[in-house]
């Protein structure tokens, strides 16, 4: 429950969130080797040691699972002739019963909230139930394996992002064996000072750019968003050509809108805020409500004016800088004007906020809106042309070269005089 609360700054005060956010990934656990081996025996049978070698020292642990390094041995039935380094993820013993108790309590609280009209409008009960469903899925690692496969397909054309691959035949409810992803935690680069040298500065700028592209692709195009994209779940590798790429881990929690239409409405709302068009964002929110409950919104025009005023008051700043304030204000205005909020907006807004935090730590001069809008527009153009590849930094360079090759134009004048 504390993990859920730490993702809802629209509901809980900042001081509380600062205290509990560490519960997302700072978990100290220790299980005996006998317990670990028993879990593997239950998953893969008594002869599992003929298939896997296990390093008993954990690589890391979360509130639900623990990860070990291992080696998959070649078998007569496989095409692999050499051992393969793998990560072995295991659900903690007895965690299912503890999570079940938490989720039952959460569902009970949700049912109480649904009886309070002013809170029911904020969809808190529905959001709690969605979180409970996500946590229950985390207890079944077959869902994470499915997410990894889906992410790999969606990023198949992108050389700058990589996900672990589940090992066929080694996926069960409590144990997931996947390819071991080596790399440097992105947090290590976030802590480096750009002043150390030009090469470090260039790498940080590239990583900041890739972080933006990663979340933009998930949010605006794939409708498949990593729900726990903190720095601990992002590693950095360097390709043979020296270019960095991101390795994304721990894909147990994802968010996606139920339909393409609902997804499009949510991203249109976010994009409207990014363009400081609060009135359009408000109208889209009202349309979403009226589609489900016609006529329920009271004082629609006042709601639109209030949202636009909120945006106008922060127009000189980035949308992302004020997401927390926006969300709190929107919740209050929604309560006053009876506008039911889609919980999906909060998930998308906070995913964008987390991504901005990572990118800003790498490039403190970043203006994420200025960075995002051209990428989103370029990707939408490619999508309309039937091109599935998401814009990469190399594509940006080609665009600049095309302008540089034209007499009287240079990359430095692309946005002047508009």
């Amino acid at each position: 429950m504390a993990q859920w609360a730490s993702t809802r700054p629209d509901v809980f005060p900042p001081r509380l969130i600062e205290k509990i956010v560490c519960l997302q990934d700072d978990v100290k656990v220790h299980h005996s080797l006998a317990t670990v081996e028993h879990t593997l025996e239950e998953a893969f049978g008594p002869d599992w040691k003929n298939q896997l070698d296990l390093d008993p020292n954990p690589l890391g642990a979360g509130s639900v699972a623990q990860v070990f390094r291992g080696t998959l041995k070649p078998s007569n039935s496989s095409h692999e002739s050499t051992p393969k380094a793998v990560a072995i993820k295991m659900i903690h013993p007895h965690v299912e019963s503890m999570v079940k108790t938490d989720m039952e309590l959460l569902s009970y609280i949700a049912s109480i909230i649904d009886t309070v009209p002013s809170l029911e409008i904020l969809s808190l009960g529905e959001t709690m139930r969605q979180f409970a469903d996500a946590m229950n899925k985390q207890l079944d690692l077959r869902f994470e394996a499915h997410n990894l496969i889906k992410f790999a397909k969606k990023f198949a054309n992108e050389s700058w992002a990589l996900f672990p691959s589940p090992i066929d035949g080694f996926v069960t409810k409590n144990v997931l064996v996947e390819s071991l992803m080596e790399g440097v935690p992105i947090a290590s680069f976030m802590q480096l000072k750009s002043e150390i040298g030009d090469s470090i500065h260039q790498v940080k700028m590239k990583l900041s750019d890739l972080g933006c592209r990663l979340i933009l692709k998930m949010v605006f195009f794939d409708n498949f968003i990593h729900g726990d994209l903190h720095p601990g779940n992002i590693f950095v590798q360097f390709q043979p050509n020296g270019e960095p790429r991101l390795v994304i881990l721990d894909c147990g929690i994802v968010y996606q809108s139920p339909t393409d239409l609902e997804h499009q409405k949510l991203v249109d709302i976010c994009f409207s805020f990014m363009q400081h068009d609060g009135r359009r964002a408000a109208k889209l929110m009202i349309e979403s409500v009226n589609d489900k409950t016609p006529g329920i919104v009271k004082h629609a025009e006042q709601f639109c004016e209030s949202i636009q005023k909120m945006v106008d008051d922060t127009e000189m700043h980035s949308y992302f800088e004020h997401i927390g304030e926006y969300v709190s204000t929107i919740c209050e205005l929604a309560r006053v004007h009876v506008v039911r909020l889609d919980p999906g907006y909060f998930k998308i807004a906070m995913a964008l906020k987390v991504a901005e935090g990572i990118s800003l730590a790498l490039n403190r001069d970043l203006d994420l809106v200025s960075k995002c809008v051209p990428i989103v527009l370029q990707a939408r153009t490619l999508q309309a042309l039937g091109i599935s590849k998401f814009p990469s930094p190399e594509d940006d360079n080609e665009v600049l070269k095309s302008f540089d090759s034209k007499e009287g134009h240079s990359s430095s004048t692309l946005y002047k005089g508009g």
Side-chain angles (χ1 to χ4, degrees):
M1 288 179 66
Q3 285 183 313
W4 170 77
S6 71
T7 66
R8 291 306 303 269
D10 56 302
V11 179
F12 300 101
R15 286 187 179 180
L16 174 61
I17 291 173
E18 288 174 6
K19 296 290 185 183
I20 63 179
V21 71
C22 63
L23 297 175
Q24 290 185 2
D25 59 354
D26 184 18
V27 181
K28 302 293 188 295
V29 296
H30 175 74
H31 303 304
S32 67
L33 180 59
T35 299
V36 172
E37 292 185 339
H38 177 70
T39 301
L40 288 170
E41 183 175 334
E42 285 189 328
F44 306 127
D47 62 344
W48 68 269
K49 290 185 179 180
N50 295 331
Q51 303 168 296
L52 285 170
D53 281 333
L54 172 74
D55 183 339
N57 300 305
L59 292 174
S63 59
V64 171
Q66 195 168 20
V67 181
F68 297 84
R69 181 189 298 268
T71 303
L72 181 66
K73 301 177 181 180
S75 66
N76 296 331
S77 59
S78 72
H79 299 294
E80 296 286 343
S81 58
T82 58
K84 180 181 178 67
V86 294
I88 305 171
K89 186 172 185 176
M90 303 181 199
I91 299 293
H92 295 311
H94 314 302
V95 73
E96 187 170 359
S97 60
M98 291 187 289
V99 171
K100 183 179 179 181
T101 300
D102 275 356
M103 294 308 102
E104 287 177 349
L105 178 59
L106 199 62
S107 296
Y108 175 69
I109 294 173
S111 65
I112 295 176
I113 287 176
D114 282 344
T115 65
V116 182
S118 61
L119 294 180
E120 195 269 343
I121 289 297
L122 300 181
S123 303
L124 292 181
E126 182 181 349
T127 305
M128 288 181 175
R129 280 185 284 272
Q130 288 180 0
F131 177 78
D133 180 62
M135 283 301 299
N136 287 327
K137 285 183 177 179
Q138 263 204 302
L139 296 175
D140 189 336
L141 293 176
R142 292 171 295 186
F143 283 108
E144 180 165 355
H146 168 77
N147 294 341
L148 288 171
I149 293 170
K150 193 165 181 176
F151 273 126
K153 288 181 178 178
K154 290 184 176 295
F155 282 83
N157 295 325
E158 321 304 337
S159 62
W160 48 269
L162 195 61
F163 295 81
S165 300
I167 304 300
D168 192 32
F170 289 87
V171 178
T172 70
K173 184 175 185 293
N174 293 318
V175 181
L176 166 62
V177 181
E178 61 188 28
S179 54
L180 181 67
M181 309 303 287
E182 304 281 6
V184 180
I186 198 169
S188 299
F189 293 93
M190 293 164 63
Q191 295 163 5
L192 287 176
K193 294 185 180 298
S194 295
E195 292 78 6
I196 292 176
D198 186 63
S199 60
I200 295 296
H201 175 75
Q202 291 301 320
V203 169
K204 291 183 67 174
M205 296 304 99
K206 290 178 180 179
L207 292 176
S208 177
D209 178 81
L210 293 181
C212 292
R213 292 175 193 273
L214 179 73
I215 196 65
L216 289 177
K217 178 169 164 54
M218 289 181 180
V219 169
F220 286 91
F221 297 93
D222 292 345
N223 186 23
F224 201 66
I225 306 167
H226 193 300
D228 194 19
L229 204 57
H230 60 76
N233 284 335
I234 305 177
F235 279 12
V236 177
Q237 291 183 351
F238 288 90
Q239 303 177 68
N241 63 1
E243 291 298 312
R245 68 179 171 192
L246 303 180
V247 178
I248 316 303
L249 307 175
D250 199 6
C251 300
I253 298 180
V254 298
Y255 171 73
Q256 56 184 332
S257 297
T259 67
D260 289 341
L261 180 60
E262 289 182 64
H263 170 248
Q264 190 58 54
K265 286 183 177 180
L266 285 174
V267 299
D268 283 347
I269 290 171
C270 289
F271 199 62
S272 296
F273 277 125
M274 289 168 66
Q275 295 179 307
H276 295 286
D277 192 348
R279 180 172 291 278
R280 181 170 184 267
K283 287 181 177 179
L284 289 168
M285 289 180 178
I286 292 172
E287 286 178 10
S288 296
V289 179
N290 285 336
D291 287 346
K292 297 176 181 178
T293 315
I296 191 175
V297 179
K298 300 177 181 178
H299 315 302
E301 184 59 29
Q302 290 92 321
F303 178 71
C304 292
E305 289 179 1
S306 299
I307 295 293
Q308 184 61 54
K309 182 178 184 304
M310 174 192 75
V311 172
D312 290 341
D313 290 343
T314 58
E315 189 171 2
M316 299 305 294
H317 304 283
S318 166
Y319 159 65
F320 299 94
E321 292 177 18
H322 295 273
I323 282 183
E325 298 171 30
Y326 276 7
V327 168
S328 298
T329 303
I330 290 169
C331 286
E332 175 61 19
L333 293 173
R335 185 188 64 79
V336 171
H337 299 291
V338 196
V339 178
R340 174 185 286 276
L341 298 176
D342 187 333
Y345 169 71
F346 299 123
K347 293 185 176 71
I348 288 178
M350 298 322 297
L352 289 168
K353 182 63 177 177
V354 170
E356 188 217 21
I358 295 173
S359 293
L360 272 176
L362 294 160
N363 177 10
R364 59 187 175 212
D365 297 323
L366 175 72
D367 180 348
L368 197 56
V369 171
S370 297
K371 182 77 178 180
C372 290
V373 172
I375 294 174
V376 172
L377 292 176
Q378 184 184 358
R380 285 183 169 178
T381 300
L382 292 174
Q383 194 176 48
L385 295 172
I387 301 173
S388 59
K389 185 177 184 297
F390 194 76
S392 68
E394 291 75 19
D395 296 327
D396 290 348
N397 293 335
E398 290 303 315
V399 170
L400 295 179
K401 287 178 183 177
S402 70
F403 277 87
D404 287 338
S405 65
K406 298 176 182 178
E407 185 177 357
H409 293 79
S410 70
S411 59
S412 63
T413 61
L414 284 181
Y415 295 102
K416 292 183 180 179

